[in-house]
């Protein structure tokens, strides 16, 4: 089941996202016969879902590399 704002199934969107990992938006657009806007919507929903799954990380230790430290 896909999101209500999408006209595609979750499986189809997953397929498009997998193809986007391997090819350009133009190539996927031609292959799947989708408009650039449709692919952009799929990408935006995928990013939104991925960000929602993220958990906040609270590091206990932080390392600083002195070779990167630069004074102005």
């Amino acid at each position: 089941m896909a999101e209500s704002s999408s006209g595609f199934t979750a499986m189809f969107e997953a397929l498009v996202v997998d193809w986007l990992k391997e090819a350009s938006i133009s190539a996927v657009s031609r292959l799947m016969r989708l408009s650039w806007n449709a692919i952009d919507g799929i990408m935006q929903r995928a990013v939104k879902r991925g960000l929602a799954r993220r958990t906040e990380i609270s590091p206990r230790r932080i390392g600083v590399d002195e070779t990167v430290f630069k004074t102005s």
Side-chain angles (χ1 to χ4, degrees):
M1 185 73 168
E3 295 177 28
S4 60
S5 62
S6 172
F8 307 109
T9 66
M11 290 292 287
F12 182 77
E13 287 197 0
L15 177 64
V16 171
V17 169
D18 283 345
W19 273 102
L20 286 168
K21 292 176 187 176
E22 303 295 329
S24 68
I25 293 174
S26 298
V28 175
S29 176
R30 283 190 308 274
L31 176 73
M32 305 304 271
R33 296 183 181 183
L34 294 172
S35 69
W36 189 94
N37 288 334
I39 292 176
D40 184 57
I42 291 170
M43 288 190 314
Q44 286 185 25
R45 286 186 294 278
V47 168
K48 185 178 177 182
R49 286 189 302 269
L51 290 175
R53 285 194 306 261
R54 277 191 174 180
T55 58
E56 188 172 320
I57 300 172
S58 299
R60 290 183 273 178
R61 295 185 183 121
I62 297 176
V64 178
D65 184 351
E66 68 280 354
T67 60
V68 177
F69 183 76
K70 181 179 176 182
T71 58
S72 298

